[in-house]
């Protein structure tokens, strides 16, 4: 980060401008209305935002109609309970209880069924409830607020 050569403040985004043939490194404010040759964005900023935007990996839950989804997928593939149970090394009775939604499959069973039948049995919690993940990031700093697209070149 460099100080603005005109006003002396920290320039979050350095603007290289040309004034009467001389190049100066100034802040966004002082670059206003000038011929901007180059903009130097601080590198740390985009990384920080990316990290914050990444959703938590395990915020998924079993869908309500998991049994129906499994049965439809299985019947669609023309497979019997017995065949699917054998493929995923589970008891036929276990699979039947899951299909009848009398038993919630554990993570391991769920993943095996998803893979075997090519279906999804989970959905993200945020999606299911209509909630949006709230980003509890830092407040917008003055530096961020000043960064804008300068149409001129
Ligand atoms: Zn300045």
């Amino acid at each position: 980060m460099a100080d603005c050569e005109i006003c002396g403040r920290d320039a979050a985004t350095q603007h290289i401008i040309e004034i009467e043939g001389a190049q100066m490194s100034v802040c966004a404010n002082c670059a206003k209305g000038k011929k901007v040759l180059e903009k130097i964005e601080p590198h740390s900023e985009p990384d920080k935002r990316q990290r914050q935007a990444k959703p938590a990996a395990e915020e998924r839950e079993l869908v309500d109609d998991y049994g129906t989804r499994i049965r439809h997928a299985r019947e669609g593939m023309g497979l019997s309970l017995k065949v699917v149970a054998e493929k995923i090394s589970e008891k036929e009775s276990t699979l039947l209880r899951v299909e009848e939604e009398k038993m919630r499959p554990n993570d391991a069973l769920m993943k095996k069924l998803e893979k075997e039948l090519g279906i999804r049995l989970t959905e993200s919690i945020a999606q299911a409830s209509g909630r949006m993940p709230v980003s509890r990031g830092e407040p917008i700093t003055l530096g961020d607020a000043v960064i804008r697209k300068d149409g001129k070149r």
Side-chain angles (χ1 to χ4, degrees), residues 122-141:
T122 58
E123 60 190 355
S124 78
I125 292 167
Q127 206 181 317
S129 64
R131 264 189 290 125
M132 289 298 288
V134 178
S135 99
R136 233 173 276 113
E138 296 105 324
I140 294 170
T141 64

Side-chain angles (χ1 to χ4, degrees), residues 44-45 48-49 51-52 135-141 144:
S44 59
E45 295 285 322
K48 210 193 288 169
R49 288 207 192 91
R51 226 180 312 134
Q52 283 172 355
S135 99
R136 233 173 276 113
E138 296 105 324
I140 294 170
T141 64
D144 285 326

Side-chain angles (χ1 to χ4, degrees), residues 62-72 74-75 81 91-105 109 113 117 121:
L62 193 63
V63 294
D64 289 337
D65 60 342
Y66 60 91
T68 312
R69 290 197 193 193
I70 294 166
R71 175 158 287 166
H72 281 169
R74 181 177 61 76
E75 288 175 349
L81 263 180
K91 283 193 216 132
E92 193 180 331
S93 60
T94 304
L95 197 54
L96 179 64
R97 292 220 313 272
V98 171
E99 278 197 3
E100 289 175 342
E101 290 167 14
K102 286 176 181 161
M103 190 189 104
R104 293 169 74 85
L109 177 53
L113 285 166
L117 301 171
L121 296 174

Side-chain angles (χ1 to χ4, degrees), residues 11-19 22-28 30-32 34-43 148 150 152-153:
T13 302
Q14 256 179 282
H15 287 64
I16 309 298
I17 59 165
E18 194 182 290
I19 297 175
Q23 287 186 13
M24 294 180 86
S25 165
V26 302
C27 69
C30 297
K32 220 183 285 176
K34 308 286 196 309
K35 184 183 175 190
V36 178
L37 301 175
E38 195 184 346
K39 271 196 237 179
I40 304 170
E41 310 268 351
H43 290 295
R148 70 176 80 86
D150 192 337
K152 292 187 206 94
R153 274 233 154 245

Side-chain angles (χ1 to χ4, degrees), residues 3-11 25-31:
D3 291 345
C4 170
E5 287 177 25
I6 294 179
C7 68
R9 287 192 307 176
D10 271 357
S25 165
V26 302
C27 69
N29 263 346
C30 297

